[in-house]
């Protein structure tokens, strides 16, 4: 967000011909993905250094530009602001504006169903910052304040508690229409070849700014009312995992309920100080996900950062440190290299799998065979049927056993010298190493566990006996089966209470090729490492071939030795 020169030329492929059509030089605007295949572009400044407040849409599938008919009070023209699309609204925060260029502290939104602007409210003064919506709140981090200081403050505004952010803004004539008539042609009208209809501007016919761009040089500093809803902020001063915003080049993006900070190589920072850090929004705590040498080559400089829609992959765009001779091809060299980063290897679940605190519906377990599921709220219901005795009427029709857990010292002393009768079901092995039976439903195992589905379809011995033994500790087997019912490895009083069980699940995810379970395990293990389990996580991560988690556990052991 707030990047420069994202579009200046449009290439139109038709009949195997490539044609170019110039639009305009536009700096400091935002481009937000909308409806999966469109870019919503707002604001910026043109080659005359005039701030714009217009909205255009670029369809990524048809390579055409369209221009909606905007209603409502247009906000001030601005550049280097931040924007986010959420719940069919385009939220705009901050930026630079005015004849003498001042920092805006405004927030407003454009209703994308009616194309109507809301009024503007006072929030926080920032530019070159990032913003996103999570948990029913709009968040702002990074950037520069009115005094040009780089800030590590995190601000958030509660959207849930205010009807102003839920209702459709009242439509009406733009406040700036009269000003537009006085101001003359739009700053972008020089590229229009004819009087275009208000709703359309294609790449082949040029571009006309819409009516809201008339406030390009508005210099009014009339105080705005404070944004409705609770406003909170937190400043991160220092800490072992808090990245310093004063040095290096930072890219802040949202993913998986956290704001990521890519601290990339620059002339003001040593390569050893570069890193990838994450601020967990639910706990408001920083943690370092990777050291700089694991990701960045110090011979390159990165200028832009882009994310995919589900927040699992990032791309850094930049170039080698050496500049081209005589400035030839400078812009092409500026973006000549791309660094792809798979965020899942650092335990980030992605936006689709991250449950928001304000979510009205919990997401149903999607199996390891299918990436997505349209079901919802089913996991909690199935959990009530897990591990119920046959006589309970739960419909259980299959039995799974694991390796019997080793008794603790207290249990051993309490049972020593006291004879007990071991009752074993007739269809279970009588081996002393076999755990008590776990009653499950074979239909759920077939739907959620690809290995079991293949085994059962082949009518192996398990098909005939309706029982199965998994050579893993009993507590790990229970946690695994509970995951199949609930799609969760979160801490539970009975299941996954111990990180050692989660480490065991990681090995099972590797054995049975279950990528979703693997991702959930890495996410929890990497964030809940403690002294008691760090060595176990290190060993289990090595068995599962998870080198990043293994290094993380090793570093934790060395740090807390």
């Amino acid at each position: 967000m707030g990047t420069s020169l994202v579009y200046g030329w449009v290439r139109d492929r038709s009949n195997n011909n490539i044609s170019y059509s110039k639009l305009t030089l536009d700096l400091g605007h935002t481009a937000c993905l909308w409806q999966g295949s469109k870019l919503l572009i707002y604001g910026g400044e043109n080659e005359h250094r005039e701030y714009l407040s217009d909205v255009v849409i670029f369809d990524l599938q048809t390579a055409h530009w369209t221009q909606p008919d905007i209603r409502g009070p247009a906000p001030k023209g601005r550049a280097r602001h931040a924007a986010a699309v959420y719940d069919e609204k385009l939220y705009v925060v901050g930026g630079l504006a005015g004849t003498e260029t001042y920092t805006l502290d405004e927030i407003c939104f454009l209703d994308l169903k009616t194309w109507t602007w809301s009024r503007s409210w006072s929030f926080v003064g920032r530019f070159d910052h990032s913003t996103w919506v999570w948990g029913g709140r709009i968040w702002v981090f990074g950037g520069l304040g009115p005094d040009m200081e780089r800030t590590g403050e995190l601000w958030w505004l509660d959207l849930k508690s205010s009807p102003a952010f839920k209702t459709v803004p009242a439509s009406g004539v733009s406040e700036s229409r009269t000003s537009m008539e006085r101001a003359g042609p739009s700053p972008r009208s020089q590229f229009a070849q004819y009087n275009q209809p208000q709703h359309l501007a294609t790449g082949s016919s040029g571009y006309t700014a819409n009516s809201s761009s008339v406030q390009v040089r508005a210099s009014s500093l009339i105080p705005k009312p404070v944004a409705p809803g609770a406003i909170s902020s937190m400043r991160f001063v220092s800490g072992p995992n808090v990245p310093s915003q004063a040095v290096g080049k930072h890219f802040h993006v949202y993913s998986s309920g956290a704001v990521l900070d890519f601290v990339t190589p620059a002339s003001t920072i040593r390569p050893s100080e570069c890193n990838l850090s994450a601020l967990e929004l639910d706990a408001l705590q920083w943690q370092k996900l990777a050291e700089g040498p694991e990701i960045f080559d110090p011979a390159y400089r990165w200028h832009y950062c882009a994310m995919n829609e589900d927040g699992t992959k990032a791309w850094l765009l930049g170039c080698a440190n050496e500049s081209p001779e005589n400035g030839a091809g400078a812009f092409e060299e500026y973006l000549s290299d791309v660094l792809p980063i798979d965020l899942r290897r650092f335990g980030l679940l992605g936006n689709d799998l991250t449950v928001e605190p304000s979510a009205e519906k919990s997401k149903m377990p999607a199996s390891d065979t299918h990436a997505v599921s349209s079901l919802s709220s089913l996991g909690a219901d199935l959990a009530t049927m897990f591990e119920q005795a046959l006589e309970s009427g739960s419909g259980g029709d299959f039995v799974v056993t694991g390796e019997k857990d080793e008794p603790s010292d207290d249990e051993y002393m309490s049972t020593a010298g006291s004879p007990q009768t071991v009752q074993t079901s007739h269809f279970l092995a009588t081996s002393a190493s076999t755990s008590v039976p776990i009653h499950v439903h074979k239909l759920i195992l077939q739907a959620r566990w690809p290995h079991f589905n293949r085994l059962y379809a082949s009518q192996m011995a398990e098909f005939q006996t309706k029982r199965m033994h998994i050579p893993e500790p009993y507590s790990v087997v229970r946690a695994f089966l509970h995951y199949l019912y609930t799609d969760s490895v979160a801490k539970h009083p009975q299941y996954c209470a111990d990180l050692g069980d989660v480490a065991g699940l990681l090995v099972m995810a590797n054995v049975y090729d279950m990528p979703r379970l693997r991702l959930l395990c890495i996410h929890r293990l990497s964030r809940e490492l403690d002294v008691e389990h760090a060595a176990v996580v290190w060993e289990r991560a090595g068995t599962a071939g998870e080198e990043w988690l293994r290094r993380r556990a090793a570093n934790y052991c060395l740090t807390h030795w």
Side-chain angles (χ1 to χ4, degrees):
M1 298 180 181
T3 58
S4 62
L5 197 60
V6 174
Y7 66 96
W9 297 85
V10 174
R11 181 169 63 178
D12 183 18
R13 297 181 181 269
S14 58
N15 299 324
N16 294 324
N17 294 323
I18 300 177
S19 61
Y20 292 87
S21 176
K22 186 176 181 181
L23 293 176
T24 181
L25 179 65
D26 195 3
L27 307 173
H29 57 276
T30 50
C32 298
L33 187 64
W34 177 52
Q35 294 184 346
S37 61
K38 297 179 179 67
L39 286 180
L40 279 177
I41 299 170
Y42 169 73
E45 58 179 319
N46 62 14
E47 63 271 34
H48 303 297
R49 303 303 302 274
E50 294 173 311
Y51 293 118
L52 307 173
S53 186
D54 49 8
V55 178
V56 291
I57 305 170
F58 181 65
D59 193 309
L60 298 172
Q61 296 179 338
T62 63
H64 278 73
W65 296 91
T66 55
Q67 181 179 345
D69 186 6
I70 304 295
R71 301 179 176 86
K76 293 184 178 70
R78 67 194 66 200
R80 299 168 71 176
H81 51 283
V85 173
Y86 181 79
D87 193 25
E88 289 299 304
K89 295 180 179 67
L90 174 68
Y91 289 92
V92 178
V93 180
L96 295 176
T99 306
E100 299 178 357
T101 304
Y102 56 87
T103 304
L104 289 171
D105 65 351
E106 296 178 357
I107 180 174
C108 59
F109 69 86
L110 175 66
D111 189 293
L112 301 178
K113 295 179 180 178
T114 63
W115 298 104
T116 304
W117 280 111
S118 71
R119 67 170 305 161
S120 295
W121 299 277
S122 177
F123 181 26
V124 56
R126 289 288 182 272
F127 65 96
D128 287 350
H129 53 291
S130 296
T131 191
W132 64 94
V133 179
W134 180 80
R137 298 167 175 170
I138 187 165
W139 304 74
V140 171
F141 182 76
L144 291 88
D147 296 328
M148 300 294 291
E149 78 285 1
R150 292 196 175 275
T151 175
E153 289 183 341
L154 177 71
W155 286 71
W156 63 93
L157 167 64
D158 193 345
L159 303 177
K160 305 187 300 294
S161 60
S162 175
F165 294 107
K166 299 178 182 179
T167 58
V168 177
S171 62
V173 179
S174 170
E175 293 177 353
S176 57
R177 189 170 297 279
T178 304
S179 302
M180 178 184 181
E181 295 170 354
R182 293 196 302 265
S186 163
R188 291 179 176 174
S189 61
Q190 58 178 305
F191 299 114
Q193 299 176 5
Y194 60 95
N195 293 329
Q196 300 179 20
Q198 185 70 14
H199 288 277
L200 179 64
T202 64
S204 60
S205 60
Y207 172 78
T208 301
N210 58 34
S211 62
S212 61
S213 65
V214 299
Q215 294 195 15
V216 295
R217 277 308 184 189
S219 58
S220 173
L221 286 174
I222 300 175
K224 302 286 184 181
V226 176
I231 298 177
S232 306
S233 67
M234 176 175 288
R235 183 179 182 86
F236 300 92
V237 179
S238 63
N241 295 321
V242 177
S244 172
Q245 303 299 314
V247 295
K249 188 162 187 176
H250 296 250
F251 298 99
H252 304 125
V253 293
Y254 166 80
S255 174
S256 313
V259 55
L260 307 182
D261 189 348
F262 292 89
V263 187
T264 66
S267 59
T268 59
I269 191 173
R270 293 188 294 268
S272 60
E273 296 176 317
C274 297
N275 62 79
L276 169 60
S277 298
L279 172 61
E280 301 288 342
L281 297 178
D282 54 355
L284 294 179
Q285 292 183 345
W286 282 98
Q287 63 171 324
K288 189 175 295 183
L289 300 182
E291 300 291 344
E294 298 179 41
I295 305 177
F296 310 117
D297 185 337
Y300 288 82
R301 294 294 182 266
W302 306 107
H303 309 299
Y304 296 96
C305 179
M307 294 277 291
N308 65 344
E309 190 172 12
D310 62 359
T312 56
K313 294 183 180 179
W315 294 268
L316 294 178
L317 287 74
C319 61
N321 207 9
E322 298 81 7
S323 59
E325 297 180 1
N326 300 324
F331 181 73
E332 288 77 5
E333 291 295 329
Y334 191 71
L335 300 176
S336 61
D337 294 89
V338 178
L339 175 63
I341 302 174
D342 188 348
L343 299 175
R344 290 170 295 189
R345 58 181 284 224
F346 304 116
L348 294 169
L349 300 177
N351 301 332
D352 292 338
L353 301 186
T354 304
V355 179
E356 297 189 13
S358 63
E360 296 180 358
K361 295 187 295 184
S362 60
K363 296 186 177 181
M364 155 58 202
S367 75
D368 287 284
T369 304
H370 305 284
V372 296
S373 172
S374 59
L375 302 178
S376 62
S377 302
L378 187 55
D381 296 333
L382 292 179
T384 62
M385 303 173 62
F386 174 62
E387 206 176 10
Q388 297 295 315
L390 297 178
E391 58 271 17
S392 67
S394 65
D397 53 5
F398 200 84
V399 169
V400 178
T401 60
E403 298 294 313
K404 188 175 182 180
D405 288 337
E406 292 294 332
S408 64
D409 292 340
D410 292 339
E411 291 174 340
Y412 179 81
M413 294 299 295
S414 64
T415 58
S418 105
Q420 293 184 357
T421 302
V422 179
Q423 297 181 351
T424 307
S425 301
H426 69 279
F427 50 81
L428 293 177
T430 58
S431 171
S433 61
T434 301
S435 72
V436 297
I438 305 172
H439 299 283
V440 293
H441 303 77
K442 65 175 182 290
L443 181 62
I444 293 178
L445 269 60
Q446 285 180 278
R448 295 274 294 148
W449 186 8
H451 170 77
F452 183 87
N453 190 35
R454 292 189 296 267
L455 181 147
Y456 214 76
S458 302
Q459 297 190 4
M460 303 294 285
E462 290 80 0
F463 177 85
Q464 305 297 334
T465 61
K466 296 184 179 180
R467 64 185 180 91
M468 180 181 188
H469 181 75
I470 301 177
E472 295 289 341
Y474 171 67
S475 59
V476 175
V477 174
R478 288 181 77 215
F480 175 72
L481 296 173
H482 187 258
Y483 158 76
L484 297 181
Y485 276 72
T486 64
D487 195 51
S488 173
V489 298
K491 191 172 183 179
H492 186 278
Q494 292 179 283
Y495 317 103
C496 293
D498 189 89
L499 281 187
D501 294 340
V502 183
L505 286 179
L506 179 62
V507 175
M508 293 189 68
N510 176 264
V511 170
Y512 295 118
D513 190 22
M514 302 177 71
R516 181 181 172 89
L517 175 58
R518 166 194 167 272
L519 186 60
L520 293 173
C521 291
I522 293 177
H523 177 80
R524 181 176 170 189
L525 291 172
S526 63
R527 284 151 178 76
E528 297 183 17
L529 271 176
D530 56 25
V531 173
E532 181 181 356
H533 299 97
V536 175
V537 172
W538 174 83
E539 188 272 332
R540 297 281 83 187
T543 302
E546 300 295 341
E547 287 303 317
W548 173 79
L549 182 60
R550 191 167 184 260
R551 287 196 303 269
R552 189 173 178 84
N555 290 335
Y556 189 95
C557 291
L558 294 175
T559 302
H560 298 84
W561 181 258

